[in-house]
């Protein structure tokens, strides 16, 4: 059984806490299911997610890999794992760039993604435009629920933490006392579907995650293929194995 983390199916939402938990330990109460017509070499794409229990997260590198049942336990590879493949989600992250055009004054404010920041309160006012862009980026990353921010000179790029969650950032303006910015055209958040995943070229037997997996869904997909030389059968021999170190939140 998994400890403090689980897999989910039934169309889980990226960044959400929905989906149906996949059964573990060969209980088969809620397995990942694909029914295929082998005579037509049918392929199916199944949306899944991994997330930790509330107040837990992964530390260091985490991985998912395909494994086969050897009669006593699952081990990586072997068996019928060649008929399956894994791929990270190909959803489009909502994003926008904010380009600072002036050093803000005390009390100037602006909305970056989902957080409203006030100069001198939520971030220190620096002496240059670039320094303020860096300070604003730090504040966004400390306060935002939905976005990550990066900075290059005066340009702040804000992107969804969980691509496809449906949060498309926007520009802002206030009648007065606003942080002077120009904005790019936002990139719309779009969740991947089966057609999106069919075009993916990096299907593999193992997925590696370097960013922490938290208590929000990280979506991945499973591709299942059948070949014409197969007689009708039920295959319970393949599983998804997870390897990660779990820590508790402070």
């Amino acid at each position: 059984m998994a400890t403090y983390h689980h897999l989910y199916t039934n169309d889980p939402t990226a960044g959400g806490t929905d989906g149906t938990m996949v059964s573990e330990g060969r209980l088969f109460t809620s397995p990942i299911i694909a029914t295929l017509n082998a005579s037509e070499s049918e392929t199916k794409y199944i949306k899944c997610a991994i997330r930790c229990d509330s107040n837990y997260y992964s530390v260091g590198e985490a991985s998912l890999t395909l494994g086969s049942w050897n009669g006593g336990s699952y081990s990586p590879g072997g068996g019928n794992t060649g008929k399956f493949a894994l791929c990270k989600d190909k959803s489009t992250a909502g994003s926008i760039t904010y380009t600072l055009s002036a050093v803000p004054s005390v009390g100037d404010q602006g909305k970056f993604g989902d957080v409203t920041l006030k100069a001198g309160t939520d971030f220190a006012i620096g002496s240059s435009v670039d320094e303020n862009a860096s300070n604003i980026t730090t504040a966004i990353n400390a306060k935002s629920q939905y976005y990550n921010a990066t900075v290059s000179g005066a340009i702040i790029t804000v992107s969804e933490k969980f691509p496809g969650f449906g949060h498309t950032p926007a520009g802002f303006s206030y009648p007065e006392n606003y942080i002077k910015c120009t904005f790019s055209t936002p990139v719309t958040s779009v969740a991947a579907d089966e057609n999106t995943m069919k075009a993916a070229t990096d299907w593999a037997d193992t997925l590696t995650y370097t960013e922490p997996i938290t208590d929000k869904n990280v979506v991945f997909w499973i591709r299942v293929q059948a070949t014409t030389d197969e007689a009708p059968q039920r295959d319970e021999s393949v599983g998804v194995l997870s390897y990660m170190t779990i820590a508790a939140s402070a």
Side-chain angles (χ1 to χ4, degrees), residues 65-69 74 81 236-241:
T65 192
L66 296 168
S68 57
W69 181 252
Y74 282 101
T81 55
E236 300 175 346
S237 67
V238 176
V240 180
L241 313 181

Side-chain angles (χ1 to χ4, degrees), residues 131-230:
E131 184 180 355
N132 282 280
S134 179
N135 293 346
I136 289 171
T137 298
T138 299
I140 295 169
N141 286 328
K143 295 174 177 291
S144 179
Q145 180 179 356
Y146 300 123
Y147 302 99
N148 290 317
T150 59
V151 64
S152 177
I155 302 173
I156 302 167
T157 301
V158 171
S159 301
E160 275 186 302
K161 291 181 180 179
F162 299 96
F165 197 10
H167 296 96
T168 301
F172 63 84
S173 64
Y174 295 94
E176 56 184 20
N177 298 329
Y178 69 94
I179 297 170
K180 306 302 187 295
C181 280
T182 57
F183 317 106
S184 67
T185 300
V187 174
T188 302
S189 171
V190 180
D193 58 15
E194 286 193 33
N195 288 328
T196 307
M197 299 311 298
K198 286 178 183 179
T201 59
D202 54 345
W203 291 92
D205 58 5
T206 299
L207 301 180
T208 301
Y209 298 91
T210 55
E211 294 296 321
I213 294 172
T214 66
D215 57 358
K216 301 294 189 295
N217 287 335
V218 175
V219 170
F220 68 98
W221 292 72
I222 300 175
R223 184 182 68 194
V224 189
Q225 297 174 305
T227 58
T228 55
D229 63 351
E230 293 175 307

